Every structure is written in C-alpha cells, then in structure tokens.
Amino acid sequence: MSAIQPVVVAVDGSEAASSAVVWAARTAAVLGRPLHIATVVHIPAFYYSEPYLAESFKDELRRTARARLDSAKILAHQSVDGDLEVVTEQLDGSVSDSLIELSKRAYMVAVGPRGHGEFTGLVVGSVTVSIVSHGESPVAVVRGRTLDGQPPTQGPVVVGVDGSENSIEAIEHAFEQASARGATLIAVNVWSDVSVQPSLGATPDDPLWSSIQTGEEVVLAEQLAGFTERYPDVAVERVVARDRPVRVLSEYAETAQLVVVGSRGRGGFTGMLLGSTSRALLHTADCPVLIVRHSKN
C-alpha cells in the first residue's frame, strides 16, 4: 500500500455507511490519496460463555464482514472515474477503539451519522460521537441531503472561522478541499459570543456594534492571510455576521457540499473535546461536516 496517508471510511452494512463510502472514495480520488475501507467485528461478551457457539458465531460475523468489505470496494470504484487505490481491512474488537486507532495513521476518517445497532431515533450515534471526540485525524460525518442516495458534489465548501488556533487548521483543510473539488470557499465568521444587546442601544448603526464588526472582519482577514496566496485557484467569499454560529453555518450547509469546522473554538473550555457548534452541526447540517481537531504539539 502507498505510504501516503489514506482516507479511511468505516462500513457496517448500513445505508449511511454506503453514503460515506461514496463520499470518501470521491474525496480520496480528488486528493490523490488511497482509500482504506474498514469494518469491525465486535463479539458481545456473553457469547464467550459457550466456546462452540462463540466460534460459530464469530465465523458467521467474519463472513458477513468480508462480504460487506467486498461490496464497499465495488461501490468505491463505481463512485469515481479513473483509478483509485483501495485497501480493505477487517478488525476485531471495539468499533470506537478500532476507528480511533486507525485515525492515528489516517489523513481523515469518514463515517455515517449512525449505523446498525443504533436506536432508530438517534440523529448521531455513539460511535460517531466517540470518533469525532477522540480521533486524531479530521473526521468527516457524511450526513444531510442526498441525490439518488449519494452525497452532494455541487456547491461551495464552507468553513467556520473564529480566530482560534483550531480555526486555522480548519481553514487549511477547507482550502485544500475547495481546491481539489474546484469549489468556491465561503469563510464565515459569526460573532454571537460577543455580548452586544440591541436592548442596550447596540444596533448596526451604533459605533460599538460597528467597531466589533470591523474587528471581526480583521480577524477573518488575518486568518485567511497566506492561504489565498497558496491556493490562488480558490475563489473566496467572506461573511461576517452577528448571529448564532450554528444557525448561520446550517443555513449555508443547505446549498454547500461540505462544511469544515474546528472541534472547538475560542468560546470552548480548554478541556472540551468537542465544542457546542461542531456538536450541533452533527445534528443540523444538511451536508457532510468535516471536524478538524487542533494538532498536538
């Protein structure tokens, strides 16, 4: 297999996982990276009380997993034009732990919002939340609208910008994604965490409101500086607004092909693994969401 870090996608036989395979295959192809398709065989502990039953049960699960991988590999090749290097891997153990381990060697990990074994009413499953919170690579949650069961390929890439270090890494990934996809990049800075209340006289015409707006425009320009030179092919639209970040980003997600955010921003507590905005987008965004964690020094 290539030494280039792969795009990893997790499959479990669910419809959501199939959409993730299509998205991951296309992403790997446009980035020139290999695709690594993984599935995890998890044996419930109570099956080990009867050795024969446990072995028989494991064999059946592994056969099913092998067939699942073969089908996913076919789907991946059907989803792209041209060659795509695809490797499949069957793992035993905890699904969350296995995917977190794979993330240590991945360029990114793609998952569906929830898979088999999750309660029907769940919008985002426990495995997805775990890998988003603890994975060491960026994690793409392939959710939202589809066309004939396939994720969107048209529309801009949208990135949330807030002045934090985590935001810089999200911007870098967003530019790379926009460049590879030939998409416009919309950089959105929403400053609702600054407390300026209209009831106290702060309106768009108020000097205080205006000064904050100007300051946030400077923050956006500073964080984009350098990337526009590195990616001259990417057309950039800048948006600065006072509102709730989740509402604004969710609105843009309705026509975007990808939303990119940091795992937590300047308003998050230091110990938080996943901020309120990124967590909320997992439930509300109408397109895939790429969550980028701040690299460890």
Side-chain angles (χ1 to χ4, degrees):
M1 181 177 173
S2 169
I4 301 173
Q5 285 183 308
V7 173
V8 173
V9 61
V11 296
D12 63 0
S14 65
E15 185 176 339
S18 294
S19 292
V21 169
V22 172
W23 186 89
R26 291 173 175 170
T27 298
V30 298
L31 293 173
R33 292 180 177 275
L35 179 67
H36 186 139
I37 305 174
T39 194
V40 182
V41 176
H42 175 64
I43 312 295
F46 63 83
Y47 277 97
Y48 287 99
S49 61
E50 175 53 59
Y52 175 77
L53 180 60
E55 203 57 42
S56 174
F57 184 68
K58 284 192 289 184
D59 288 344
E60 179 59 30
L61 284 181
R62 287 176 178 141
R63 282 193 295 270
T64 301
R66 184 69 258 168
R68 182 186 305 148
L69 288 173
D70 291 342
S71 296
K73 185 174 182 177
I74 292 171
L75 177 60
H77 282 299
Q78 291 174 337
S79 302
V80 302
D81 296 323
D83 295 332
L84 175 64
E85 180 183 350
V86 181
V87 172
T88 61
E89 183 175 12
Q90 181 177 307
L91 302 165
D92 289 337
S94 159
V95 178
S96 296
D97 290 347
S98 297
L99 296 180
I100 291 169
E101 186 63 30
L102 283 176
S103 75
K104 296 176 182 178
R105 305 182 297 278
Y107 170 76
M108 72 166 61
V109 175
V111 294
R114 64 180 180 86
H116 285 321
E118 306 281 7
F119 293 107
T120 305
L122 289 175
V123 177
V124 181
S126 59
V127 170
T128 297
V129 171
S130 180
I131 183 64
V132 167
S133 299
H134 300 283
E136 295 193 15
S137 70
V139 177
V141 179
V142 183
R143 55 158 294 114
R145 69 191 186 282
T146 60
L147 178 62
D148 296 328
Q150 300 190 2
T153 56
Q154 302 297 316
V157 171
V158 177
V159 60
V161 180
D162 66 4
S164 66
E165 288 185 37
N166 203 174
S167 181
I168 287 288
E169 294 182 58
I171 292 169
E172 183 169 13
H173 278 275
F175 266 97
E176 183 178 18
Q177 292 292 326
S179 178
R181 298 167 188 271
T184 296
L185 177 65
I186 301 179
V188 181
N189 181 3
V190 186
W191 47 278
S192 68
D193 55 337
V194 178
S195 181
V196 181
Q197 296 298 328
S199 62
L200 300 179
T203 69
D205 297 325
D206 186 273
L208 178 57
W209 184 303
S210 178
S211 68
I212 293 174
Q213 177 78 11
T214 299
E216 294 302 318
E217 289 171 356
V218 170
V219 168
L220 181 57
E222 288 177 344
Q223 290 214 298
L224 294 178
F227 292 109
T228 51
E229 287 75 20
R230 285 171 54 188
Y231 296 93
D233 58 315
V234 177
V236 180
E237 179 182 335
R238 304 181 185 193
V239 176
V240 177
R242 179 184 183 272
D243 204 332
R244 293 179 58 246
V246 173
R247 180 161 59 189
V248 174
L249 291 171
S250 293
E251 287 176 355
Y252 276 103
E254 292 175 2
T255 54
Q257 61 176 293
L258 178 67
V259 171
V260 185
V261 291
S263 57
R264 64 180 180 84
R266 62 185 175 188
F269 295 105
T270 303
M272 292 177 66
L273 294 174
L274 195 61
S276 59
T277 296
S278 51
R279 182 182 292 274
L281 285 171
L282 297 182
H283 297 265
T284 63
D286 198 27
C287 71
V289 178
L290 179 61
I291 297 180
V292 182
R293 292 190 65 192
H294 181 49
S295 300
K296 297 178 181 179
N297 296 322

